Amino acid sequence: MTSFSSNALAGRTAVVTGAGGGLGGAIVAQLAAMGARVLSLDLRAPVADTAAGHHALACDIGREDDVAEAAHQWDALAGRCDILVNNAAVMPPPMPLADMVDADWDRVFAVNLKGAYFCAKHFGAAMRRAGRGSIVNLASIAASVPNAIGAYGPSKAAVLALTRQMAVEWGPLGLRANAVSPGLVRTPMSEPFYAQPANLAAREAVVASRRIGVPEDIASVVGFLASDASAYVNGQEITVDGGFMATPLMNIQKRD
């Protein structure tokens, strides 16, 4: 856990997409622990502590009408939006580029890229009116290094470009937009892989910090970018990978 105070985000509201997953749930918990009132979005509305002022809505962020309606409901309920975390993403099974069909490619980009844009457009409207706000887009180290899912990396590279565009266009209005690129992280989805001791050891051996990340590692950085501690951080990518991306040459030398 982090040492953030329980009032760092007091009086502010936050919207988190993909909140029903392991990473999204950790981000919701982090922002709530810092005092924010949180709206959780997912295809199925996650459980929310309404007694504490938190809420949840079902929303397909790949559909602009859904996002616009969710933003309208939140505006009527909360009257403001201070923080937006675009965490929702889809990762189809491994598939080379040559085998992809239009529907597979389009769904990845509809959620991972257009979904982030739709949410920033509609939830960000309250930020632009208020002249303040922080947008945090979840990208991935796959934006910089290819993996086995042909469309995923390109979609996340586009998220980085979108983040910089938001920062430059909306910075003069008082908004900040930054990206977090997670490395190897243990989530409920990836846990069956890491539950195998050989798989875990092989992955840990190529991470400089010698452990696989947990959702709280990512959520802590999101909390930093959402808070005033990062008030002069805008248009940046923060890679949270335990040093994994810095290790290739060292790992090659060990094998030689």
Side-chain angles (χ1 to χ4, degrees), residues 180-207:
V180 176
S181 287
L184 306 177
V185 180
R186 296 183 77 155
T187 66
M189 185 177 295
S190 65
E191 190 55 35
F193 175 86
Y194 288 116
Q196 302 298 317
N199 293 340
L200 178 60
R203 290 285 182 92
E204 289 178 332
V206 295
V207 176

Side-chain angles (χ1 to χ4, degrees), residues 229-245:
S230 60
Y232 203 51
V233 180
N234 197 12
Q236 303 304 306
E237 175 194 10
I238 299 181
T239 300
V240 188
D241 69 347
F244 171 69
M245 295 283 280

Side-chain angles (χ1 to χ4, degrees), residues 38-109:
V38 184
L39 170 65
S40 299
L41 298 182
D42 214 314
L43 284 173
R44 294 183 179 179
V47 175
D49 184 0
T50 54
H54 308 305
H55 293 270
L57 292 172
C59 180
D60 181 352
I61 66 165
R63 298 173 58 90
E64 186 170 11
D65 288 349
D66 273 22
V67 175
E69 176 58 25
H72 174 73
Q73 290 187 46
W74 185 238
D75 190 56
L77 186 65
R80 61 189 294 170
C81 180
D82 303 291
I83 300 153
L84 168 65
V85 182
N86 280 313
N87 166 68
V90 294
M91 181 183 288
M95 184 181 302
L97 288 172
D99 294 339
M100 294 201 75
V101 297
D102 284 353
D104 295 326
W105 181 275
D106 289 348
R107 182 57 180 164
V108 171
F109 275 81

